Amino acid sequence: MSSTVELSTPLAEIPKLAARERSALEKAGFVTAGDVLTHFPKRYEDRRQFDRFPSEASMTPVCIHGRVTDTSLRRFGRRKQFFEATLEEISDDAFSHPVVCRWFNMPWIHKIIAADQELVVFGKPKQSGKRLVIDHPEFEIVDPESEEASIHLRRITPVYRLGSGVSQRPLRTLLHRLLEELDPESVPDLLPAPPETGGAGEAAAEGSGNFRYAHLQQIHFPEDFDALKAARRYFAFEEFFSLQINVARRRREYLSRPGKAHSDGAVLLTQWFQQLPFELTDAQKHVIKEIRADLKSNRPMNRLLQGDVGSGKTAVALAAMLIVVEAGYQCALMAPTQILAEQHFLTLQRQLAGLDVRISLRTSAKQQDDFLELEGAPQIVVGTHALIHDNVAFQELGLVVIDEQHKFGVAQRGRLIEEGRVPDVLVMTATPIPRTLTMTVYGDLDVSILDELPPGRGTVITAVRPASKTVDAARFVRDHLAQGRQAYIVYPLIEDSETLKLKSATVEHERWVPRFPDHEVGLLHGRLRPDEKDAVMTRFRSGEIQVLVCTTVIEVGVDVPNANIMLIYNAERFGLAQLHQLRGRIGRGAHKSYCILMADMKKGSAEALAKLQVLEDTTDGFEIAEADLELRGPGDVLGTAQSGLPDLKLGDLVTDTALVKEARDLARRILEEDPELAAPEHEALRALSVKSREALVT
Ligand code: ADP
Ligand code: MG
């Protein structure tokens, strides 16, 4: 065994790598030996002990080893064909039934598989007439007599995701060889303190004193499942760690800039407090205290406020703004939509009536910036996130509040922070973000949580109903309208789409009007002009309109306490978190509220319908977020484009909470001691940190 390969060795310099194989690998995106070696297996087959041949259909795949006894190419339809190979168990004592493998419309297969070959097959057996068949199994032709047999057989065998032109066995053989020839010195440990692992890999690692090298061997060709587990954990940790070291560095950078220490005046705060029509919740008081401490210090505030819909984030933001205004600075409150900006403006106007605070709603870019220069410039400017892009000329911007952050790109936050002086930043979100995501995407923010709803809220009862029950639903709504309540009827799209065949708000609005002859039915969707939207919203708020047929434009923040019914059509097509957001529009007054998920029972998959159950069962936003994350994956939950999430090879943000936390603590500890990663033992880390910095959008 010679150690001639390093992680950085280009494919072209790997000895004895056939040109054809090399070019296929290069096409698949591999450049160095290290790229190949960090192409971790997608799964493993335990070929020390194959599964017995199945005797019945099964939902889980089996991995079997057998001999081909018969093959045939058959036709069906006019031009279509399929290929069959009958497989029999090899061991003598088998009373097993043969399994038939089938491939449809893959004519080349019959040139590859022939009688007497031995195959390893992986797939789900199902019943077809009297036979057990596996359609389109993953398979590998094996030869127990060959020299390479020990790489592919009689072990826990890695199975890789393949690029086109790269096949399983040659890739595995190459990896096996690379691992043998790999110079351990070229695989330095990145992590100063490997997490507790255990297993054979660990023991081997202790022997060589090189954990990374040992785990790399084990993740491809594990000695046993314990060693595999340890290796996967090691590399998952490494992934999380490299993310966290960047998050931690960003955080340090931010904190190192001079912020503004806002004097801790409380005149305005007290005045506001005294005329507030409600008592703040303990959670609100607690968070306001945290924010006050941030504002008082001369480090810039960079805080995420998480609170379920209706938890009263606006009041917290207002308290923060009053402190900053009193210190003589301007504040900007940014909402994701115009409707929300206006609503915030109205709330602020109402709650600040009688206080000496100048607030202004910035509705369009036209309304020019000169008003900011005048005597009596507004102290609080409310607008959409266009406030950042239009470069509004603030005189002394002290605090930026960003409402409903999940509607913004993470990048926008970065941009805001980069521009000029560093204002304090408060980011508010109602999307309960699972903790692992918070630590990864917003890891550089301090987090406050409003974990309490104001008292006196009516409960929201949620029920899933078939969409066909519209007549019943209409009667239900009518009953509540008669009692003076209001209702939302939500559709996912604005125009009838032939392809999706989803009900649309525009068309449905016309159908709903005659169902409520005694009441006013309004229509709200994203394609209306802003002033049209306003007019509709104002009329709904004032009770002039009782039923609002709408799209998801009302998703965030809209606050009409008298509306207590919501019908959501095509509910099976929404994400759980989004449904929860929508539902948050009701249950804001003292009346009992009803959210009815009108689902298309025929079109919705069983899974989609089952997930709606979660909403019947709980109103806890965090529980729902976790369920959503499990169902959809992190990219979808945050929206891939703006999530700033890198592709993780091994780490799982859903299940690896503890590991993410460990990685974060370690990253912070290391940077505490060596902020620039200048120490020689951190050299590899420094490189890693630059590399994965590029991967992060922020
Ligand atoms: P969100 O956190 O969803 O943005 P809001 O700030 O819009 O919630 O508050 C929802 C509603 O609850 C508003 O009508 C607000 O006036 C009211 N509210 C906020 N705090 C309290 C409180 N402590 N007690 C009673 N009502 C409150
Ligand atoms: Mg809000």
Side-chain angles (χ1 to χ4, degrees):
M1 186 171 98
S2 56
S3 299
T4 52
V5 172
E6 302 192 356
L7 288 184
S8 58
T9 307
L11 292 184
E13 288 169 27
I14 294 174
K16 292 176 292 181
L17 181 61
R20 207 172 55 102
E21 201 181 343
R22 190 183 88 211
S23 79
L25 286 168
E26 281 169 350
K27 252 194 213 118
F30 299 102
V31 180
T32 63
D35 294 339
V36 181
L37 284 162
T38 52
H39 183 61
F40 297 139
K42 68 169 179 183
R43 61 181 183 84
Y44 301 82
E45 289 179 358
D46 189 352
R47 297 188 181 172
R48 298 167 305 184
Q49 184 70 59
F50 287 99
D51 289 327
R52 295 301 310 270
F53 266 49
S55 54
E56 56 188 16
S58 101
M59 292 300 290
T60 47
V62 295
C63 178
I64 52 178
H65 179 205
R67 188 188 315 282
V68 178
T69 53
D70 193 18
T71 67
S72 65
L73 193 59
R74 303 192 177 192
R75 295 192 178 282
F76 69 104
R78 245 179 296 160
R79 268 196 216 120
K80 299 177 176 157
Q81 55 183 358
F82 68 98
F83 176 72
E84 276 191 358
T86 308
L87 206 63
E88 285 185 13
E89 193 156 8
I90 290 173
S91 61
D92 301 329
D93 61 0
F95 288 96
S96 60
H97 298 284
V99 168
V100 177
C101 300
R102 301 193 296 196
W103 288 268
F104 294 86
N105 296 319
M106 294 170 70
W108 45 268
I109 278 270
H110 84 270
K111 295 186 186 136
I112 298 176
I113 296 180
D116 271 346
Q117 280 172 346
E118 287 187 23
L119 297 190
V120 171
V121 162
F122 179 82
K124 287 180 202 167
K126 64 175 191 189
Q127 202 76 40
S128 168
K130 288 206 167 129
R131 310 187 305 171
L132 267 187
V133 302
I134 304 182
D135 286 336
H136 294 267
E138 285 190 42
F139 74 98
E140 210 174 298
I141 302 162
V142 293
D143 176 4
E145 306 302 320
S146 92
E147 263 174 58
E148 286 177 2
S150 66
I151 298 176
H152 308 290
L153 289 172
R154 296 185 285 275
R155 63 156 70 241
I156 300 171
T157 310
V159 179
Y160 298 93
R161 203 162 276 115
L162 303 171
S164 67
V166 184
S167 340
Q168 196 64 249
R169 258 181 322 161
L171 179 62
R172 189 183 298 132
T173 309
L174 174 64
L175 270 156
H176 194 265
R177 176 158 76 86
L178 289 178
L179 284 166
E180 271 186 349
E181 294 173 1
L182 183 64
D183 178 3
E185 298 289 306
S186 84
V187 196
D189 280 332
L190 296 177
L191 307 179
E196 289 301 310
T197 42
E202 194 78 335
E206 253 147 45
S208 74
N210 185 333
F211 289 96
R212 198 158 188 254
Y213 175 78
H215 285 305
L216 190 60
Q217 301 280 346
Q218 294 298 321
I219 201 161
H220 289 286
F221 295 97
E223 275 164 46
D224 53 42
F225 282 108
D226 282 346
L228 173 58
K229 206 168 137 203
R232 288 183 68 93
R233 194 180 137 89
Y234 180 88
F235 287 108
F237 185 80
E238 192 177 289
E239 276 183 330
F240 290 138
F241 179 78
S242 60
L243 286 176
Q244 290 300 330
I245 200 106
N246 282 308
V247 166
R249 286 187 94 173
R250 219 162 51 218
R251 186 183 154 80
R252 291 188 71 92
E253 252 166 50
Y254 189 76
L255 289 180
S256 70
R257 304 204 203 162
K260 302 183 176 73
H262 302 295
S263 65
D264 188 29
V267 178
L268 286 174
L269 205 57
T270 313
Q271 283 175 355
W272 167 69
F273 200 67
Q274 277 166 356
Q275 68 177 57
L276 204 59
F278 47 74
E279 174 83 7
L280 293 174
T281 64
D282 287 343
Q284 283 171 317
K285 286 183 194 154
H286 177 75
V287 172
I288 290 173
K289 218 163 134 190
E290 287 177 328
I291 291 174
R292 262 181 104 163
D294 281 356
L295 293 174
K296 206 155 56 167
S297 97
N298 58 6
R299 294 180 341 184
M301 173 168 83
N302 201 16
R303 189 168 283 280
L304 175 70
L305 172 57
Q306 276 186 282
D308 212 342
V309 283
S311 58
K313 293 183 289 296
T314 317
V316 172
L318 184 49
M321 292 193 287
L322 289 177
I323 296 169
V324 174
V325 165
E326 190 163 325
Y329 295 98
Q330 285 181 306
C331 301
L333 170 57
M334 304 193 300
T337 67
Q338 194 63 37
I339 289 181
L340 281 179
E342 273 155 36
Q343 183 178 290
H344 276 318
F345 179 69
L346 291 176
T347 307
L348 263 51
Q349 261 192 336
R350 207 171 48 236
Q351 292 199 3
L352 295 181
L355 269 69
D356 188 17
V357 178
R358 294 182 299 277
I359 42 180
S360 153
L361 175 66
R362 193 163 190 283
T363 46
S364 70
K366 272 199 270 66
Q367 182 196 342
Q368 254 327 317
D369 303 337
D370 47 28
F371 80 111
L372 294 173
E373 308 292 340
L374 299 174
E375 181 78 35
Q379 292 154 309
I380 298 176
V381 181
V382 184
T384 63
H385 64 279
L387 280 181
I388 322 179
H389 297 299
D390 299 354
N391 289 318
V392 172
F394 289 100
Q395 293 171 326
E396 273 295 352
L397 187 56
L399 170 67
V400 176
V401 180
I402 306 176
D403 193 17
E404 310 296 353
Q405 158 77 11
H406 70 293
K407 290 282 161 189
F408 289 96
V410 177
Q412 273 151 321
R413 177 166 60 86
R415 165 164 178 186
L416 179 77
I417 292 164
E418 269 160 32
E419 273 173 13
R421 291 158 299 183
V422 184
D424 289 315
V425 176
L426 178 65
V427 173
M428 307 199 290
T429 176
T431 312
I433 306 169
R435 276 188 53 71
T436 46
L437 285 190
T438 314
M439 282 189 280
T440 308
V441 182
Y442 300 115
D444 55 337
L445 276 67
D446 294 307
V447 179
S448 293
I449 295 181
L450 286 179
D451 52 4
E452 183 185 358
L453 291 181
R457 289 290 164 80
T459 41
V460 180
I461 294 165
T462 302
V464 182
R465 292 286 179 271
S468 55
K469 296 274 186 195
T470 287
V471 173
D472 294 346
R475 187 178 326 116
F476 184 77
V477 173
R478 224 164 18 237
D479 287 349
H480 285 269
L481 295 181
Q483 295 165 32
R485 302 286 83 74
Q486 290 166 280
Y488 298 98
I489 300 176
V490 187
Y491 290 88
L493 290 180
I494 47 158
E495 279 154 14
D496 243 351
S497 146
E498 271 308 306
T499 41
L500 284 170
K501 296 231 167 51
L502 294 178
K503 307 211 157 162
S504 75
T506 319
V507 170
E508 290 303 321
H509 173 249
E510 285 165 28
R511 292 195 191 136
W512 280 102
V513 170
R515 287 179 190 139
F516 304 121
D518 302 334
H519 295 96
E520 197 62 33
V521 183
L523 171 66
L524 184 71
H525 59 68
R527 300 258 175 101
L528 291 179
R529 286 201 318 268
D531 57 320
E532 292 172 326
K533 277 191 217 164
D534 277 356
V536 175
M537 241 6 253
T538 308
R539 290 177 69 209
F540 188 62
R541 228 177 257 130
S542 69
E544 228 177 291
I545 290 175
Q546 290 88 33
V547 180
L548 192 61
V549 175
C550 54
T551 59
T552 52
V553 290
I554 55 136
E555 182 184 343
V556 279
V558 168
D559 188 23
V560 181
N562 190 47
N564 72 328
I565 312 270
M566 177 176 284
L567 306 187
I568 306 176
Y569 278 83
N570 294 113
E572 77 284 352
R573 311 204 58 129
F574 289 94
L576 287 185
Q578 200 187 4
L579 289 169
H580 180 63
Q581 288 279 317
L582 283 167
R583 176 170 69 174
R585 301 307 108 220
I586 55 173
R588 300 193 149 225
H591 303 285
K592 204 181 215 177
S593 297
Y594 302 88
C595 176
I596 305 172
L597 304 172
M598 306 296 284
D600 192 322
M601 301 296 182
K602 281 189 225 91
K603 288 199 201 101
S605 67
E607 199 177 80
L609 293 172
K611 83 181 183 188
L612 295 178
Q613 186 87 43
V614 177
L615 292 168
E616 280 189 350
D617 294 346
T618 180
T619 52
D620 179 331
F622 279 92
E623 222 174 281
I624 291 164
E626 299 285 346
D628 214 25
L629 189 62
E630 242 163 73
L631 284 163
R632 293 194 297 156
D636 279 348
V637 171
L638 284 180
T640 334
Q642 60 189 36
S643 68
L645 284 178
D647 263 345
L648 294 179
K649 286 181 179 173
L650 290 173
D652 183 340
L653 287 167
V654 181
T655 53
D656 293 337
T657 319
L659 217 51
V660 172
K661 200 164 161 328
E662 245 176 82
R664 183 190 60 179
D665 293 348
L666 179 61
R668 287 194 175 173
R669 217 159 50 234
I670 288 175
L671 287 177
E672 200 65 44
E673 281 162 22
D674 181 11
E676 298 307 318
L677 297 176
E681 70 267 27
H682 291 153
E683 193 189 324
L685 268 187
R686 210 155 53 230
L688 179 79
S689 135
V690 170
K691 199 166 150 198
S692 66
R693 183 180 287 242
E694 286 159 12
L696 272 170
V697 184
T698 16

